[in-house]
Amino acid sequence: MSLDLALLLAQDGIANGAIYVLVALGIVLVFLVTRIIFVPFGDLVAYGALTLAAIQAGERPGTIWLVLMLAALAFLVEAVSLLGRGAAHRLPRAALVWLALPALPALVAWALVGRALPDAAQWALTVALILPLGPLLYRIAFRPIADAPVLVLLIVSVVLHFAISGMALVFFGPEGARPRPLINAMFEIGDMVVSAQTLLMLACSALAAAGLWLFFERSLTGRALRATAVNRVGARLMGIRPGVSGGTAFMLASALAVLSGLLIGPVTTLSYDSGFVIGLKSFVGAIIGGLVSYPGAALGALFVGLLESFTAFYDSSFKEVVVFAILVPVLVLRSLVTAKPADDEEEEL
Amino acid sequence: MTALLDVVDLHVSYGRVEAVRGVSLTMEAGRIVTVIGPNGAGKTTLLAALMGLLPSRGSVFHDGADMARLEVEDRVERGICLVPEARELFGDMSVADNLLLGAYRFRRERGFRSKLDDVYARFPRLADRRRQTAGTLSGGERQMLALGRALMMRPRLLMLDEPSLGLAPLIVREIFRIIAGLRELGVSILLVEQNARAALESADYAYVLETGEIGMHGPAAVLLHDARVTATYLGGSV
């Protein structure tokens, strides 16, 4: 293999990897705070891209109906749980948080789509539509079973994925869509041609990884989110509400998902079911990083991207096989390298 | 004057088993009140119910306000703080982070970290180990961290569940010295202990809990010399 070819493959791999970085970060984030492996994460990415494409085409995206439906359901779940506890006086606040707040962007989108909108407004609408999806799904499906074992949470997560991607088929149809790129520019670095979109993607991934690391290591709110994952009872005794922590984590995850949707959409054609594979490969990247560290997940995801592009060069039919097969040696290696914790009192996984 | 804590006819059940059966107790602000009793008498259950971790029947008033509908986090906001038997530390986070999280309810106030130096002065051992993770501490240090974290919460009512459990005698003495020091700060303490002698020596008032019911109660100094208490819980020697 010549150096030129290797460089080309590496560039392609990094561009792919940057996609996986954002998703892997989201998966680690959700897992660290709630112990949930959020399988539908990739679907949210696809929703992001498809929603933007629909808005650009002047059609009302099905996401509007999904948000409204989930908001109604979430409010119902919250109302039942409040009434069950005899806390009817909290109903107005619940209606504001779970019904009014998520419904607002949906109604705005319903009213605005079809008119001539500047690009920035279209992006903003997409973000505002995808953002509530994470917290709503969390409130409906996961918070009632927050104390369940990891396996149960995973099963619910898988079921949720099928439901959401099924609805995407109804909303967006079987055809893929590709929104316009955020920026149109090409740079020449040496012999390579790099698109501005790729650079933007890399910059966003690096910023997100660094930002999340800082947030969780340095800020009190970040520490509180981590504390919820480490010890739920301990966190509650400090006045940290696990439900709020979970909601915040899912909100951040939604933000990462819509960001990657906006960034990937213009580069790769996404259809209703392409989110799953993106999520799965990012999950492999997150696992390589140990599922606990943001920089680790970012590097792992980049590695997956590189691996994919180099295998595709030798035999594209093995692209997927190699990415998933790499899990086995990685897990064996990790179990050898990671020392067993001396004190397993806090380990409840 | 309303009592700081007023418990009236409290019942707590695990399924069909009733672990706490009609307990009533009251405590004034600034006092140390202890609940002693044998293993399995329902002491830990009582504290968990007061904190809202377990559902209960009966009434609990804090500063005259009914707490029936308050969740754990709401009770924390009122300044009620439990140091449970299991400590419930954040094992893979540093000592400093554990302490800072104690001040979580003051996160919106400026200078919520200010209490940190105070806690380090009170527990020099924690200051030495501030960068270490909580999971690597010894039993005594973990109890100190749990107490220090509770102090960061600036509690109005501090509930301690078996603070001396599983600790070496020397460390037990240190822990009780710290508890006595907290009283000087004006913290009201509800202390649950199996180590009856140490508890009675540091408390103002005491309740004896047996199979979920209050047996005797009275000033701690009186119970310390009561013949029945002496025979049952203090090993027969005064």
Side-chain angles (χ1 to χ4, degrees):
Chain A
M1 179 185 284
S2 68
L3 186 66
D4 280 352
L5 184 59
L7 272 177
L8 200 69
L9 288 177
Q11 188 205 340
D12 185 45
I14 288 174
N16 277 334
I19 299 169
Y20 301 142
V21 169
L22 286 172
V23 181
L25 290 175
I27 289 173
V28 170
L29 165 73
V30 168
F31 180 75
L32 274 187
V33 178
T34 61
R35 303 176 304 130
I36 296 165
I37 293 168
F38 192 45
V39 183
F41 197 97
D43 298 316
L44 293 190
V45 176
Y47 265 86
L50 294 173
T51 302
L52 180 60
I55 291 178
Q56 287 180 346
E59 294 161 16
R60 291 195 180 112
T63 323
I64 296 177
W65 314 121
L66 184 64
V67 169
L68 289 175
M69 209 165 61
L70 290 179
L73 252 177
F75 174 66
L76 201 70
V77 173
E78 178 77 10
V80 167
S81 114
L82 282 179
L83 291 176
R85 272 185 288 136
H89 61 283
R90 290 197 186 166
L91 277 177
R93 199 175 162 270
L96 178 75
V97 171
W98 295 110
L99 209 55
L101 226 51
L104 189 69
L107 296 177
V108 171
W110 188 81
L112 287 186
V113 170
R115 295 158 203 245
L117 290 172
D119 277 0
Q122 294 175 340
W123 301 332
L125 269 185
T126 309
V127 171
L129 276 175
I130 304 296
L131 219 48
L133 287 180
L136 288 174
L137 288 173
Y138 169 70
R139 181 65 194 91
I140 296 166
F142 293 111
R143 220 169 104 185
I145 54 163
D147 289 316
V150 171
L151 185 62
V152 174
L153 296 172
L154 174 62
I155 292 168
V156 171
S157 193
V158 170
V159 171
L160 218 53
H161 149 69
F162 284 115
I164 294 180
S165 69
M167 277 190 269
L169 176 59
V170 176
F171 292 145
F172 302 108
E175 255 119 77
R178 191 186 273 224
R180 287 192 300 275
L182 307 188
I183 26 177
N184 265 320
M186 289 291 184
F187 297 105
E188 277 183 41
I189 304 174
D191 292 335
M192 288 187 299
V193 180
V194 185
S195 77
Q197 184 83 10
T198 304
L199 289 180
L200 187 65
M201 219 141 66
L202 275 175
C204 285
S205 306
L207 273 180
L212 283 174
W213 183 80
L214 273 178
F215 174 67
F216 279 92
E217 289 298 319
R218 293 275 168 268
S219 81
L220 189 66
T221 313
R223 286 191 184 98
L225 289 186
R226 264 179 70 206
T228 315
V230 176
N231 186 334
R232 265 174 80 82
V233 175
R236 294 194 73 190
L237 289 176
M238 302 298 108
I240 302 166
R241 293 171 198 273
V244 175
S245 295
T248 312
F250 271 84
M251 181 76 110
L252 284 171
S254 265
L256 285 171
V258 68
L259 182 64
S260 38
L262 292 183
L263 291 170
I264 305 171
V267 183
T268 323
T269 305
L270 293 182
S271 58
Y272 76 100
D273 62 349
S274 14
F276 184 62
V277 173
I278 294 176
L280 218 51
K281 286 183 187 160
S282 310
F283 180 64
V284 173
I287 293 275
I288 293 175
L291 210 52
V292 287
S293 130
Y294 298 101
L299 290 177
L302 275 181
F303 175 71
V304 168
L306 286 170
L307 191 68
E308 205 181 24
S309 102
F310 278 88
T311 1
F313 172 71
Y314 286 110
D315 189 342
S316 61
S317 56
F318 275 109
K319 189 172 88 164
E320 248 94 283
V321 179
V322 169
V323 168
F324 294 120
I326 193 79
L327 261 186
V328 178
V330 162
L331 287 179
V332 169
L333 211 69
R334 283 206 75 89
S335 71
L336 290 178
V337 172
T338 317
K340 291 231 162 55
D343 178 12
D344 50 338
E345 190 188 30
E346 324 281 352
E347 301 283 326
E348 293 174 279
L349 304 183
Chain B
M1 174 189 156
T2 50
L4 177 70
L5 185 70
D6 204 0
V7 181
V8 185
D9 195 28
L10 193 77
H11 294 260
V12 188
S13 311
Y14 296 101
R16 243 180 262 166
V17 184
E18 201 166 37
V20 169
R21 302 185 289 180
V23 165
S24 299
L25 61 85
T26 120
M27 67 182 285
E28 305 287 335
R31 297 291 179 82
I32 299 185
V33 172
T34 185
V35 177
I36 57 173
N39 215 346
K43 305 189 296 292
T44 296
T45 308
L46 173 66
L47 288 194
L50 292 180
M51 196 65 227
L53 287 168
L54 289 174
S56 58
R57 284 176 296 122
S59 326
V60 180
F61 297 94
H62 176 243
D63 257 348
D66 188 358
M67 297 212 294
R69 285 181 181 173
L70 298 186
E71 290 179 59
V72 177
E73 295 87 350
D74 302 320
R75 297 181 197 219
V76 172
E77 291 291 330
R78 292 187 66 97
I80 301 172
C81 164
L82 170 67
V83 178
E85 198 181 312
R87 323 304 194 220
E88 306 289 3
L89 299 171
F90 305 115
D92 61 9
M93 299 175 79
S94 72
V95 167
D97 280 355
N98 268 273
L99 290 174
L100 277 179
L101 282 166
Y104 182 76
R105 77 182 179 105
F106 301 109
R107 64 193 174 283
R108 291 194 189 87
E109 290 176 20
R110 283 155 119 257
F112 70 90
R113 288 162 189 262
S114 59
K115 196 96 177 113
L116 205 55
D117 294 328
D118 187 38
V119 170
Y120 282 146
R122 209 167 273 274
F123 302 95
R125 283 268 273 286
L126 295 182
D128 297 339
R129 306 201 182 281
R130 66 180 85 187
R131 302 260 160 264
Q132 253 173 270
T133 58
T136 63
L137 299 181
S138 71
E141 289 164 347
R142 298 171 127 242
Q143 184 58 53
M144 286 180 199
L145 179 54
L147 282 172
R149 190 177 64 170
L151 281 189
M152 293 293 290
M153 300 172 77
R154 285 180 248 165
R156 298 187 54 219
L157 169 59
L158 180 59
M159 303 197 285
L160 304 175
D161 193 359
E162 306 273 9
S164 75
L165 191 77
L167 300 182
L170 210 64
I171 300 178
V172 171
R173 224 177 301 157
E174 198 175 337
I175 295 284
F176 274 99
R177 210 172 31 239
I178 291 164
I179 292 173
L182 294 187
R183 193 236 301 262
E184 324 250 294
L185 281 179
V187 182
S188 315
I189 299 173
L190 181 59
L191 171 68
V192 155
E193 260 295 345
Q194 258 189 80
N195 186 340
R197 181 181 301 278
L200 288 174
E201 277 169 357
S202 46
D204 300 299
Y205 201 86
Y207 291 85
V208 179
L209 192 66
E210 281 169 325
T211 56
E213 288 168 297
I214 298 285
M216 279 182 286
H217 59 95
V222 175
L223 257 64
L224 194 56
H225 299 288
D226 182 275
R228 276 175 301 163
V229 174
T230 311
T232 319
Y233 299 111
L234 302 177
S237 60
V238 178

